Amino acid sequence: MSEIDLAGNGILFPGQATAKVATASVTEISPEARLVVRVRNGDQDAFGELYGRYAAMVHGILLARVPRAEVDDLAQDVFLSAYKNLGSLRNSNAIGPWLAMITRNRAMEFYRREKKTEELVDDVPVRASSLTEATEVLTIIRSLPDAYKETLVLRLVEGMTGPEIAERTGLKPDSVRVNLHRGMKMLREKLGIGVRS
Amino acid sequence: MKKFCKMPLQIFGLVIVLSVSSLAANAQEAARLRLDGLDKLGTNSAEKLSFDLDGRLLQLAIRALSNADANDPKMIKIREAVQGLKGIYVRSFEFEADRAYVASDVEEVRAQLRSGTWERLAGIQSKKDGQNIEIFTMFEGDRIGGLTVLATDARHVSVVNIVGMIDLEKLMALQGNFGIPDVNITLPIKIKTKP
Amino acid sequence: MNDYLWDGSGEPDGDIEQLESLLRPLAYQAPAEPYAVSAVVAAAPVKRAPMYQWAIAAVVAFAALGLGFWMIRSQPPETVTVAALDQRQVSDLAWTERVIEPTVPAVPIESNHPVKAPRQTAAASGRSIRGSQRVLEERQEGRVAADQLLKALRITSDNLNIVKTKVNQVGASTPES
């Protein structure tokens, strides 16, 4: 059996009569979408709430890609860019995936500007050994494929659950599951059987 | 103050041109998808078609089309269809066995198409064969500034991402053999026409 | 799959727990003060140059544009030395619409002296050959790119039409309400 769905306006192709096929059902407006509407109406507190909801996600996506020292500044850039360009977001329900996209693009732009082809190694001063070890593990996570490293950082560092990762980034839950499972498997192989204390 | 008011149009024109071109560049970048995550599918595929055409290469291609068969009506249609293009990016794979790839391999592309700046224009899905074709557009004002076709079935993954001003009608008018070479990769879906 | 990895439920996985406690210090730390947009926007002020600086920039830009146009227009068209090419190269160059003109200057014939080709001729010929080779390579690149472009157009067009055909079929078979 085939299913067809069309855009809500009912006219798919020029010259075609109005489609008789049922259009997609009306999407429920999420709380995040309501916040987007408030921000567009000038409510800066609403943007603060959005920030609170997505800061960990933005932080995690950046942490998976750029040196730690750069994460906070780049996160500010991401939110500033989001604030300025909120008008271009056509689907308010997709604020999370949109922010995730801006964040990944910002990370790529960071490397283009730095003109480095290899990932920068964190310059960690001599501190508590556990923080050094944490940075070493993070470096190993960063060496994994993009899809795995991002999901693992969001889960293991930022403490987001699989369903939360799916909801915020727009990835399908099944994909997040696969990424977590495969990513964890690769991480175990790279670390040895378990984490050395 | 009065002499600054006389500067006129030229300065404002320059500012507007610079702003518009910077906006256009941003829009172009937004319409371009990251497809490198699909490259790993090429290691297992029996056939693949993978290239990025933009900037100088795209101009060379359009120039080559313009120089050959300048009066051929089919070539004229093709040239009209590509007139506003800024880039065209293709990743297309055919596998020898069913399920040689997993849905999550394509998920990164889908996630970009759900990011809020793309709209799903249409899609068909056949549960029986697992065939799926989705058409996504990105609008700049009331014109289409980006088009993505994502087609998959058990043995095929095909993504075509087009950036630039697109006329859907002119693109669709290219159907059929307009001197367009047969692509080795067969299309995912064949419609059975009623007798 | 390990439920604990997915959503923290079920039997805890020792390795994962250790990783979580090791990596948690690297996580995002919410600030004490609520996020203030105005603070961020204020932190990245857009410096506006005084009006006269914009005016100067505009004048310089227009001057540069004008100079650029003048330079392009005053540049002689690229020419190719016919004598340096073989027939195959000439026919390929027919792809372009460039005029093929000899650039070797005429050498005056003097009865008592052997005709010597000017030193510049060899260098000029060398540049012309390299120039024509570049043109050929560019042509070849263009043909390959054109082939790719046409394939992409075919895939796109066919898929668009498949969807349209399917929609029309369903539309035709759906009874009027």
Side-chain angles (χ1 to χ4, degrees):
Chain A
M1 188 174 72
S2 293
E3 290 175 4
I4 299 184
D5 69 271
L6 305 175
N9 60 14
I11 302 293
L12 176 59
F13 293 105
Q16 184 195 332
T18 308
K20 310 253 184 357
V21 179
T23 56
S25 58
V26 173
T27 313
E28 212 175 290
I29 298 177
S30 64
E32 290 79 16
R34 290 204 186 91
L35 284 175
V36 170
V37 171
R38 281 171 55 195
V39 174
R40 282 185 178 144
N41 291 335
D43 184 347
Q44 290 191 352
D45 287 342
F47 193 77
E49 286 186 52
L50 275 178
Y51 179 91
R53 265 176 219 262
Y54 292 105
M57 179 194 79
V58 169
H59 186 272
I61 292 175
L62 288 170
L63 193 64
R65 288 168 164 81
V66 304
R68 274 182 63 217
E70 307 292 339
V71 169
D72 288 339
D73 282 345
L74 292 178
Q76 290 281 44
D77 284 353
V78 165
F79 280 101
L80 189 59
S81 172
Y83 182 73
K84 287 179 177 173
N85 295 301
L86 208 55
S88 73
L89 176 61
R90 292 177 83 93
N91 177 8
S92 302
N93 284 317
I95 178 68
W98 184 69
L99 272 173
M101 178 193 73
I102 295 175
T103 310
R104 291 180 198 116
N105 288 345
R106 191 63 191 87
M108 274 173 43
E109 197 187 316
F110 168 77
Y111 280 108
R112 270 204 298 271
R113 283 189 188 169
E114 293 293 311
K115 289 184 182 150
K116 282 182 167 59
T117 54
E118 290 173 13
E119 188 163 310
L120 299 173
V121 176
D122 274 328
D123 183 19
V124 180
V126 176
R127 281 200 237 165
S129 62
S130 63
L131 197 54
T132 309
E133 191 175 355
T135 311
E136 286 174 5
V137 172
L138 180 63
T139 304
I140 293 171
I141 292 175
R142 284 199 195 133
S143 69
L144 302 177
D146 276 356
Y148 301 164
K149 68 185 178 191
E150 180 177 298
T151 321
L152 279 178
V153 168
L154 290 174
R155 172 67 183 86
L156 298 176
V157 179
E158 303 296 342
M160 292 166 66
T161 63
E164 282 171 346
I165 294 169
E167 187 211 325
R168 306 250 172 104
T169 63
L171 289 170
K172 284 188 180 167
D174 283 346
S175 302
V176 174
R177 254 187 203 272
V178 167
N179 291 342
L180 280 176
H181 176 70
R182 289 183 185 173
M184 195 62 219
K185 188 175 170 217
M186 281 180 79
L187 182 59
R188 282 188 212 265
E189 284 164 5
K190 290 196 174 215
L191 288 174
I193 293 172
V195 177
R196 291 184 297 279
S197 54
Chain B
M1 201 55 183
K2 273 188 184 173
K3 57 181 171 187
F4 288 134
C5 291
K6 265 214 145 188
M7 285 293 170
L9 292 184
Q10 279 139 353
I11 295 182
F12 287 117
L14 176 69
V15 169
I16 287 167
V17 162
L18 290 174
S19 307
V20 166
S21 55
S22 131
L23 278 173
N26 284 339
Q28 222 172 292
E29 220 173 283
R32 180 173 176 182
L33 298 177
R34 283 190 323 277
L35 300 180
D36 41 353
L38 289 175
D39 290 340
K40 59 181 180 287
L41 296 181
T43 50
N44 291 335
S45 64
E47 299 279 352
K48 80 174 179 186
L49 186 67
S50 175
F51 56 83
D52 298 335
L53 270 188
D54 55 17
R56 179 180 158 270
L57 272 182
L58 181 62
Q59 293 310 312
L60 285 179
I62 293 174
R63 201 190 305 167
L65 291 177
S66 301
N67 289 337
D69 299 327
N71 296 318
D72 182 349
K74 293 173 189 173
M75 274 299 155
I76 291 172
K77 284 195 177 179
I78 291 175
R79 284 199 295 274
E80 281 176 3
V82 303
Q83 209 171 1
L85 294 195
K86 301 293 179 205
I88 188 160
Y89 310 92
V90 175
R91 299 291 186 277
S92 199
F93 307 93
E94 180 174 357
F95 304 93
E96 278 179 348
D98 286 1
R99 315 287 167 212
Y101 69 97
V102 291
S104 61
D105 290 336
V106 187
E107 187 51 34
E108 196 188 322
V109 175
R110 286 191 199 283
Q112 293 176 67
L113 292 165
R114 285 197 298 268
S115 66
T117 46
W118 288 91
E119 287 178 25
R120 190 167 182 271
L121 183 68
I124 60 173
Q125 185 179 17
S126 171
K127 284 182 178 169
K128 184 179 145 199
D129 325 41
Q131 295 166 343
N132 189 24
I133 300 181
E134 293 173 280
I135 317 263
F136 297 85
T137 50
M138 180 183 288
F139 280 86
E140 285 174 33
D142 57 354
R143 299 184 67 184
I144 297 177
L147 175 77
T148 297
V149 176
L150 174 58
T152 59
D153 70 4
R155 294 196 183 190
H156 300 87
V157 172
S158 185
V159 180
V160 178
N161 171 220
I162 302 177
V163 176
M165 290 302 167
I166 293 154
D167 188 321
L168 267 186
E169 254 193 86
K170 287 183 178 156
L171 262 185
M172 290 171 66
L174 300 180
Q175 188 196 24
N177 187 8
F178 273 78
I180 294 177
D182 270 332
V183 183
N184 284 336
I185 295 168
T186 55
L187 297 162
I189 291 184
K190 289 175 176 49
I191 296 291
K192 290 177 190 171
T193 51
K194 292 179 183 176
Chain C
M1 173 174 169
N2 188 330
D3 280 340
Y4 185 77
L5 179 61
W6 171 240
D7 60 7
S9 64
E11 183 85 22
D13 181 309
D15 288 344
I16 296 173
E17 275 188 314
Q18 276 191 328
L19 280 170
E20 283 177 306
S21 67
L22 180 69
L23 295 170
R24 197 51 51 81
L26 304 179
Y28 165 71
Q29 310 286 340
E33 298 289 328
Y35 180 82
V37 172
S38 52
V40 175
V41 172
V46 176
K47 272 195 171 180
R48 296 188 189 281
M51 192 64 178
Y52 73 87
Q53 287 187 2
W54 280 110
I56 293 171
V59 168
V60 168
F62 271 108
L65 271 174
L67 183 64
F69 278 125
W70 178 82
M71 286 177 69
I72 288 168
R73 289 191 63 176
S74 62
Q75 220 174 35
E78 196 174 313
T79 53
V80 175
T81 307
V82 176
L85 300 174
D86 63 28
Q87 209 45 42
R88 188 183 52 206
Q89 288 171 317
V90 170
S91 64
D92 271 333
L93 282 174
W95 269 75
T96 72
E97 291 169 3
R98 293 202 177 111
V99 174
I100 300 175
E101 292 173 359
T103 57
V104 179
V107 178
I109 297 175
E110 296 175 18
S111 55
N112 295 328
H113 298 278
V115 173
K116 283 183 192 172
R119 276 186 192 175
Q120 287 172 346
T121 305
S125 297
R127 279 196 295 276
S128 299
I129 291 170
R130 283 194 290 278
S132 63
Q133 280 174 342
R134 271 200 302 276
V135 168
L136 288 174
E137 282 164 10
E138 215 172 65
R139 285 298 123 202
Q140 183 58 22
E141 254 187 303
R143 279 177 235 165
V144 169
D147 185 54
Q148 290 176 331
L149 176 59
L150 293 176
K151 285 178 182 173
L153 291 176
R154 178 163 183 180
I155 294 174
T156 306
S157 174
D158 284 358
N159 276 313
L160 284 173
N161 281 289
I162 286 167
V163 172
K164 181 183 176 184
T165 305
K166 201 71 170 166
V167 165
N168 286 340
Q169 282 178 355
V170 171
S173 62
T174 306
E176 298 267 356
S177 55

